[in-house]
């Protein structure tokens, strides 16, 4: 029983970190400040209530469409921000792709120009 105080402290810290790092819009039951106060005042009971009733479930969290092929696979990666407006995101990613292609073409043109200037056989 000597470690019971340490166990309470660990539960309190984990619950508080989880509450603080959770997005306000995903918290259920009461506001974030209410959950923090509940866990501070009643550490064990508050933490258990947070886990049971306040914490967002997997259904509450936004996620990518599974199995769907993206139009921009080079930008798909775990942890990527999920856009609020998918159409605006699609337009932005298309602009990025176009700009990257333009930069590649400019680099190719510069490399060809440099090779022509330095290669004496190319002039004849």
């Amino acid at each position: 029983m000597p470690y019971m105080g340490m166990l309470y402290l660990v539960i309190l810290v984990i619950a508080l970190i989880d509450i603080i790092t959770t997005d306000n819009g995903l918290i259920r039951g009461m506001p974030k400040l209410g959950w923090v106060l509940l866990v501070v005042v009643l550490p064990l009971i508050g933490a258990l209530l947070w886990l049971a009733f306040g914490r967002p479930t997997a259904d509450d969290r936004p996620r990518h469409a599974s199995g769907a092929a993206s139009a921009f696979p080079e930008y798909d990666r775990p942890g990527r921000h999920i856009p609020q407006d998918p159409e605006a995101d699609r337009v932005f990613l298309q602009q990025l792709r176009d700009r990257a292609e333009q930069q590649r073409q400019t680099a190719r043109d510069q490399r060809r120009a440099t090779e022509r200037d330095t290669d004496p056989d190319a002039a004849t």
Side-chain angles (χ1 to χ4, degrees), residues 5-78:
M6 184 65 101
L7 180 64
Y8 281 156
L9 181 64
V10 168
I11 291 172
L12 171 78
V13 169
I14 290 173
L16 286 174
I17 289 172
D18 192 33
I19 293 169
I20 291 169
T21 58
T22 301
D23 185 24
N24 286 338
L26 298 177
I27 293 179
R28 298 180 301 154
M30 61 180 152
K32 187 182 280 193
L33 182 61
W35 282 112
V36 169
L37 291 174
L38 181 66
V39 170
V40 169
V41 173
L42 303 169
L44 186 59
I45 295 170
L48 293 175
L49 288 172
W50 163 251
L51 292 174
F53 302 111
R55 195 164 194 257
T57 62
D59 295 335
D60 296 337
R61 295 184 188 270
R63 58 186 156 185
H64 292 291
S66 58
S70 171
F72 302 96
E74 63 267 30
Y75 302 111
D76 287 340
R77 65 184 189 285

